[in-house]
Structure formats: structure tokens, C-alpha cells
Amino acid sequence: MNREKYIYVMLSSTRTKIAKLIKYATKSEYNHVSVSFSENMEQLYSFGRFYHCMPLIGGLVNETLCRFTLKSPKRVNIKIFKIPVTKEEYERAYNRVVQIADDGEYAYN
């Protein structure tokens, strides 16, 4: 099987009140997961809140560094996984993310 493409998965440890609750419940250092289809990770996708002040209203969002830090100078721990995939697996995963992004019926839970 020819593994010529990569999908990048980033785990992060953000510093919000919701993040602390998630970390407590899961007993995990990391509370958030994002996916990217490019090595420079300029475009990251994850399920999260649309507005910082409304933690229960969200869906698939495009991540930015400001979203992780909430414009705070505090450090955010991350771990990045580079996953080799076939071209077909890459296209299937990318198309699925685009499909979810275009579908207004998906809810954040």
C-alpha cells in the first residue's frame, strides 16, 4: 500500500474553564483535537464553540492560533501526529470534513 500523503492531528491543552472540566472528566492532559490536511497546518478543523462567551453553541470550526490562546500570552501545550495515508484515504477524509463543514445540521455536543 503506497502511503504518499499525510493527515496531521493536533492535540492541545487549552486554558478555558470548559477545558479544565474536560481534563478533569477525561483524566487527560489534552482536551481538544484538531485535524489538518497540510504540513504547515495553516488550516485546522475541529469541533468547538462558535463564540467564546457561548460554550454550548458550536460545530465544526476553522481553528486559528488566537482561538487556542484566547489572545492570552499563556502557553498552550500541543502534540502533533503525522499520519501516513494513501491518496484515497486522504481524499475520503478531506471530503468528509468538507461535507460536515457545508452541512448546517451538524451540532456541537
Side-chain angles (χ1 to χ4, degrees):
M1 190 176 304
N2 187 9
R3 305 257 181 213
E4 59 188 58
K5 298 284 242 175
Y6 296 94
I7 294 175
Y8 301 85
V9 175
M10 183 173 74
L11 306 180
S12 56
S13 180
T14 57
R15 299 185 182 271
T16 64
K17 290 177 184 173
I18 295 289
K20 290 176 185 174
L21 179 64
I22 292 169
K23 286 189 236 183
Y24 176 78
T26 63
K27 309 289 190 260
S28 176
E29 178 182 348
Y30 301 97
N31 60 285
H32 192 73
V33 178
S34 305
V35 65
S36 181
F37 297 94
S38 62
E39 186 173 15
N40 63 15
M41 299 182 77
E42 284 183 0
Q43 188 151 28
L44 290 159
Y45 302 94
S46 72
F47 280 96
R49 56 179 118 173
F50 292 139
Y51 310 101
H52 173 65
C53 60
M54 298 179 177
L56 301 179
I57 299 173
L60 188 69
V61 296
N62 287 320
E63 295 286 7
T64 66
L65 290 178
C66 287
R67 282 184 57 84
F68 286 112
T69 62
L70 300 174
K71 299 181 183 177
S72 167
K74 293 181 181 177
R75 179 181 171 153
V76 174
N77 293 329
I78 63 169
K79 187 179 278 191
I80 299 173
F81 296 89
K82 182 179 179 180
I83 303 169
V85 294
T86 65
K87 183 178 178 184
E88 292 78 22
E89 290 168 330
Y90 178 94
E91 289 175 4
R92 199 165 57 237
Y94 178 79
N95 289 336
R96 182 67 174 137
V97 169
V98 169
Q99 178 188 17
I100 292 170
D102 290 343
D103 186 340
E105 296 297 314
Y106 277 87
Y108 178 67
N109 186 327

